[in-house]
Amino acid sequence: MANAQQVQIKGTVYERTQSMGLPGVSVHSTGGGGAITDSLGRYTIKVGVNDSLRFSYQGKSTQLFPVKEISLVRPFDMKLYVDVKTLPTVEVFAKSRTYQSDSLERRREYGRYFDYAPEYLTTNPGGATYGGAGVNLDALFSLGKIKRMENFRKLLVREEQEKFVDNRFTKALVQKITGLEGEMLDGYMIEYRPTYEMLLSFENEYDYLRFIKESGEDYANWWRRNHFKQAKRP
């Protein structure tokens, strides 16, 4: 394939005076990839060597820049003719301070479970060993307690992961991106709720937001087809 070879391009997008980076600028590849600049205007994107890049902000796009003409040994910075005084507050996805503080408090409260690492076999300072290790009799006699603590730790981890998903996958975010409302929005939130592992698998914020947009369109089409059929039944 022509675009099988991938390269990584990174840089910073600045406003007209180049004194401040622009957050929320979309970086698009003609090969289908994309990224969004962070709070300091920085971006990183993987593209095919035969692709081209363009930058878009507030509905306006730059020209295409062929990847073959971009130096890979230094940052590919971009200046957009935007006056910083006119910039709106751009927040693609804010990390929840409430979630972070709750998580830290939870870790402190249940620290003995989160950090619990039982050792069934330990070095025996007295020299009596079996198979090269001393047997920790206290641990062997407490297997029931150890198992309960391990199961509780797993439960705490699962609950923390679910809270992480709750804070990243919100109705407000989905509605803003997809335009879904009412029962359609409620149904989408159930059908397309990502797992913790899935959220971590997205390479960048752009891919995550694109997942919501594309899956929201698919769900809306499915919803309209099925509810239209139900409405036509006598």
Side-chain angles (χ1 to χ4, degrees):
M1 294 178 60
N3 286 349
Q5 184 180 350
Q6 296 277 306
V7 296
Q8 180 172 279
I9 297 176
K10 60 177 59 177
T12 303
V13 180
Y14 296 97
E15 41 74 55
R16 70 169 68 234
T17 66
Q18 291 187 277
S19 61
M20 181 179 295
L22 283 175
V25 177
S26 296
V27 187
H28 303 279
S29 163
T30 53
I36 297 177
T37 58
D38 63 14
S39 60
L40 299 178
R42 300 170 302 190
Y43 72 92
T44 299
I45 185 173
K46 289 184 178 180
V47 295
V49 294
N50 293 321
D51 292 347
S52 294
L53 288 182
R54 65 181 173 86
F55 301 80
S56 63
Y57 186 72
Q58 295 183 337
K60 298 181 180 180
S61 297
T62 66
Q63 67 185 74
L64 289 172
F65 300 93
V67 172
K68 289 181 177 179
E69 298 178 7
I70 297 175
S71 172
L72 302 179
V73 297
R74 61 177 182 271
F76 184 60
D77 295 337
M78 181 61 49
K79 179 175 70 174
L80 299 184
Y81 287 88
V82 178
D83 190 339
V84 72
K85 295 192 294 294
T86 67
L87 294 179
T89 299
V90 178
E91 192 169 282
V92 177
F93 193 91
K95 293 183 179 178
S96 171
R97 293 183 179 180
T98 301
Y99 167 76
Q100 290 177 334
S101 60
D102 288 348
S103 179
L104 289 174
E105 181 62 32
R106 186 181 179 84
R107 288 275 173 168
R108 284 193 291 266
E109 183 176 355
Y110 296 105
R112 60 179 296 206
Y113 296 101
F114 278 112
D115 302 327
Y116 183 61
E119 296 181 357
Y120 299 99
L121 298 177
T122 62
T123 301
N124 189 336
T129 62
Y130 180 78
V135 179
N136 186 332
L137 295 180
D138 290 337
L140 290 177
F141 285 123
S142 303
L143 288 178
K145 179 181 178 181
I146 291 171
K147 185 175 182 179
R148 288 194 298 273
M149 291 184 73
E150 289 179 337
N151 287 337
F152 186 56
R153 176 173 60 178
K154 292 177 182 178
L155 175 63
L156 291 173
V157 171
R158 285 198 300 271
E159 289 180 351
E160 190 171 77
Q161 291 174 349
E162 287 302 307
K163 288 181 180 295
F164 177 79
V165 176
D166 289 340
N167 279 270
R168 290 222 56 186
F169 188 67
T170 66
K171 276 190 174 182
L173 175 66
V174 171
Q175 186 175 33
K176 181 177 181 180
I177 295 175
T178 65
L180 299 178
E181 296 180 342
E183 293 183 1
M184 192 183 299
L185 176 60
D186 293 337
Y188 172 85
M189 297 297 294
I190 296 173
E191 292 294 328
Y192 284 89
R193 177 183 172 87
T195 63
Y196 174 78
E197 292 75 18
M198 182 178 179
L199 286 178
L200 296 184
S201 71
F202 291 110
E203 188 170 333
N204 51 49
E205 202 69 19
Y206 179 89
D207 288 343
Y208 173 54
L209 299 181
R210 185 171 64 175
F211 156 74
I212 294 177
K213 183 177 186 301
E214 293 178 352
S215 60
E217 291 173 352
D218 290 341
Y219 186 77
N221 291 332
W222 174 87
W223 173 278
R224 295 187 185 99
R225 287 196 305 269
N226 285 270
H227 283 72
F228 178 71
K229 291 178 181 179
Q230 294 178 6
K232 290 183 64 176
R233 292 177 182 175

